[in-house]
Amino acid sequence: MNTFLHQPRLAADDLFSALRTLFPQSQPMRSTTTAGVEVVSVLVTSDRVRDVWDEWRGKHGETGWWPYVSGISPEGLTGDGRLHEGVDAAFLENMMAEVVCRDHDARAASIVLSSFLWIRDFACAEEGELEEWLDEYDPGRLAPRLGHAIAEPLPGVSRWAPENRNTMYWRDQWWLHFVPARGGYEVPVLLPGLIMTGNGSTHYLHPADDAALLRRWHEQWGAELFFASGPRLELVVDRPPLDPRSAAQAATELTGYCEDTVDDAQVAGDGMARSTVWSLWWD
């Protein structure tokens, strides 16, 4: 039977066995969503989690399993019916077909446009305010306000590991979940509810919207899903934009995706967009 779902190279049994050998004290776990997506998980100490993630994302081409870090347990990830309500195997197959076949660049652009239209219709009371928002959402207007091109990416600043890339605070251990996916951009579709975008004052996104933006950022700037836990999302960015025009493009897309965090596109364009970590939070 043909399927749009990714079939990993490494069997789940073999991955589980490898993790059990590498982390004998952690007791790796296996869980399955209502749509039949199997997840293999292991607890990793906070001082090692970034290095372990780096190692296993480097093995993704060999294994076909994408790793990401979370504070949510396997039971919470796959057993919370609210996150998977109405998502059976057939529904997931249709969603993945949409992700694989649709133009993700066009969908990403439509997400940014819809965010701007929401601002225009619900948040802008006067024409002057609309002009201010155009400065945030139009890369052509934003780029001239940004600093000159830089030679090297800025150091990434995480909201959850502010002093050391290998030490994420508030927990001693974190779950490293492995999901059968072509890349981290597919994980929000395989695990609906993974990224809790939106709040009472903005628009909500579909998992396929998350996938479109994450895939675009992966292809354009080497952004990879590293951390997702409730309303918190973090991407490690291997090739962030360094020139004003590209940084403006990234900043406007980040604004359209998460205005809760990126509420000043100019600051983001000269800062986070040009850095090796994009750390987002929906308040």
Side-chain angles (χ1 to χ4, degrees):
M1 175 182 173
N2 293 328
T3 177
F4 286 99
L5 298 175
H6 178 64
Q7 305 303 309
R9 292 174 178 267
L10 186 67
D13 288 346
D14 294 334
L15 175 61
F16 182 80
S17 178
L19 293 175
R20 189 165 54 183
T21 299
L22 291 168
F23 301 94
Q25 307 301 319
S26 296
Q27 297 295 317
M29 296 182 63
R30 297 170 68 167
S31 53
T32 306
T33 70
T34 55
V37 177
E38 186 164 16
V39 181
V40 182
S41 310
V42 65
L43 276 170
V44 182
T45 57
S46 64
D47 62 331
R48 292 189 61 205
V49 69
R50 172 62 191 271
D51 286 339
V52 174
W53 176 82
D54 267 330
E55 178 184 356
W56 282 93
R57 74 144 167 171
K59 296 178 180 179
H60 174 256
E62 304 169 25
T63 68
W65 295 82
W66 186 263
Y68 81 93
V69 178
S70 182
I72 300 174
S73 69
E75 297 91 339
L77 187 69
T78 63
D80 189 340
R82 295 170 298 176
L83 300 182
H84 305 279
E85 185 176 357
V87 180
D88 58 14
F91 186 84
L92 176 60
E93 184 70 38
N94 289 334
M95 279 204 300
M96 190 56 71
E98 184 178 354
V99 169
V100 171
C101 297
R102 286 194 62 179
D103 184 335
H104 53 279
D105 284 328
R107 184 161 192 157
S110 72
I111 294 164
V112 177
L113 176 61
S114 67
S115 178
F116 171 72
L117 293 177
W118 185 91
I119 290 291
R120 183 198 66 183
D121 293 340
F122 294 99
C124 294
E126 301 176 0
E127 184 177 345
E129 292 177 340
L130 180 60
E131 287 297 313
E132 291 177 8
W133 281 105
L134 279 170
D135 288 340
E136 301 283 308
Y137 279 87
D138 184 341
R141 295 174 63 146
L142 177 61
R145 296 160 51 213
L146 299 184
H148 296 300
I150 58 177
E152 298 290 337
L154 300 175
V157 178
S158 168
R159 289 171 175 267
W160 304 286
E163 297 180 359
N164 184 315
R165 79 165 202 153
N166 293 325
T167 302
M168 301 181 71
Y169 68 76
W170 103 69
R171 291 175 62 100
D172 294 329
Q173 294 181 308
W174 292 90
W175 286 102
L176 187 64
H177 297 300
F178 292 82
V179 186
R182 295 174 183 85
Y185 55 85
E186 287 189 349
V187 175
V189 174
L190 294 165
L191 303 175
L194 175 76
I195 305 172
M196 297 179 182
T197 58
N199 58 28
S201 63
T202 190
H203 60 302
Y204 287 80
L205 298 177
H206 189 274
D209 296 328
D210 298 310
L213 276 166
L214 294 187
R215 184 175 178 185
R216 170 173 166 73
W217 295 341
H218 163 71
E219 293 178 356
Q220 289 289 317
W221 299 300
E224 304 283 19
L225 174 65
F226 164 62
F227 176 77
S229 193
R232 304 174 182 90
L233 172 68
E234 193 160 284
L235 308 175
V236 170
V237 189
D238 293 332
R239 306 181 310 276
L242 304 181
D243 64 276
R245 184 60 179 81
S246 298
Q249 184 66 48
T252 57
E253 292 178 14
L254 286 163
T255 300
Y257 185 49
C258 185
E259 196 267 331
D260 282 359
T261 296
V262 190
D263 58 356
D264 188 321
Q266 183 173 352
V267 171
D270 280 328
M272 184 171 70
R274 303 196 201 199
S275 79
T276 56
V277 172
W278 293 356
S279 198
L280 305 174
W281 176 43
W282 286 265
D283 188 3

